[in-house]
Amino acid sequence: HPISGVTVFAGMVGVSNLVQNGSFELPSIGTTAYTFYGLGSTNVTNWTVVGGAGANVALTSLYWTGPAEDGNQFMDLTGNTGGGGVTQSFPTTPGVTYDLIFYHGSYSHYGRNSVLGVTIDTNYYTFGETSGTGGNLDWRRVQIEFTASTSLTPLTFLDLNPNDANNNFVDNVQVIIPGAASILQAITGADGSYQISVPNQSFQVSVTGLPAAGYNNVAPQTVAMNGVNQAVNFTTTPVAGAQIFT
């Protein structure tokens, strides 16, 4: 008996993030609230501290003002000086389009509005407050598409407020091929079937909504697309007998 009205998701797998240490988990500062790194420092793994004369940044943990967006640590670009930033370069193919994805949080507890400057390749953007508070930094997802102009693309985050505002945070930085962050979905029809159009790539296919419909969850399945239609079938076990949808 088919199951209708449940949602099937397909997300890319095996896609590498070109940014190293994008969640700022290295080095680990443990239960320390924050640790400062001065101009020119390379002690935040894979990143170099940049900014104005005397500027610093702070690697910050959940023990200070709020949870990270990903993992246990995040980057406070204001440090205790304001005007600091971090940069790293990563290999790219000129002419190929990529997605830069990162999360921006803020906490205007000193009454100063944060201004974040982001440079990716030759493109420059600015972002303002995210309405965060103590214990909730209101992490906002930012996605920017860019086309690489060189084989080594620079990425820089910079605090544009030259004060110790402690309110300009970055976490979970990624650079991936376009569409890799997209989750495609479809709802099963009356006959229990679904159809999702995807490019050639490996995908993890999973289902949600089964418990609400009175059925047990099913394990995700991985399928590699190679230009040929493929069926990913799931069988679940309700109270009376097994039901299938494809």
Side-chain angles (χ1 to χ4, degrees):
H1 183 73
I3 302 172
S4 63
V6 296
T7 304
V8 182
F9 294 93
M12 286 188 188
V13 297
V15 178
S16 297
N17 180 10
L18 299 181
V19 174
Q20 303 298 307
N21 194 28
S23 289
F24 302 100
E25 299 301 304
L26 298 174
S28 172
I29 63 173
T31 58
T32 301
Y34 46 82
T35 300
F36 296 115
Y37 299 89
L39 188 65
S41 173
T42 57
N43 290 332
V44 178
T45 306
N46 301 110
W47 297 92
T48 299
V49 178
V50 295
N56 63 29
V57 299
L59 198 58
T60 307
S61 77
L62 56 85
Y63 294 94
W64 181 57
T65 189
E69 196 287 323
D70 181 62
N72 295 319
Q73 300 179 173
F74 57 93
M75 174 56 62
D76 173 8
L77 298 172
T78 66
N80 67 355
T81 62
V86 290
T87 188
Q88 102 169 229
S89 297
F90 49 87
T92 48
T93 301
V96 172
T97 299
Y98 299 87
D99 283 334
L100 165 65
I101 299 168
F102 66 91
Y103 288 79
H104 178 215
S106 65
Y107 172 20
S108 186
H109 58 303
Y110 288 155
R112 302 188 182 105
N113 290 330
S114 69
V115 184
L116 171 67
V118 180
T119 303
I120 178 67
D121 200 280
T122 59
N123 308 297
Y124 178 70
Y125 306 88
T126 60
F127 302 88
E129 283 287 326
T130 69
S131 303
T133 61
N136 178 6
L137 301 179
D138 190 22
W139 293 105
R140 304 281 182 91
R141 185 180 189 273
V142 179
Q143 182 167 337
I144 299 170
E145 185 177 276
F146 71 95
T147 300
S149 62
T150 67
S151 59
L152 195 64
T153 295
L155 168 63
T156 302
F157 296 96
L158 188 66
D159 174 48
L160 300 180
N161 188 337
N163 297 286
D164 177 18
N166 290 331
N167 68 342
N168 216 350
F169 313 121
V170 174
D171 200 10
N172 199 1
V173 183
Q174 307 167 55
V175 171
I176 54 181
I177 61 174
S182 300
I183 302 296
L184 306 175
Q185 66 183 63
I187 298 176
T188 57
D191 61 355
S193 67
Y194 67 94
Q195 183 173 334
I196 301 176
S197 297
V198 298
N200 290 336
Q201 178 72 34
S202 292
F203 287 83
Q204 184 178 77
V205 184
S206 56
V207 184
T208 186
L210 286 171
Y215 304 103
N216 294 319
N217 281 321
V218 292
Q221 298 185 39
T222 299
V223 58
M225 301 301 297
N226 55 8
V228 179
N229 290 339
Q230 298 199 43
V232 181
N233 301 324
F234 295 90
T235 300
T236 186
T237 53
V239 175
Q243 300 196 8
I244 186 169
F245 53 100
T246 64

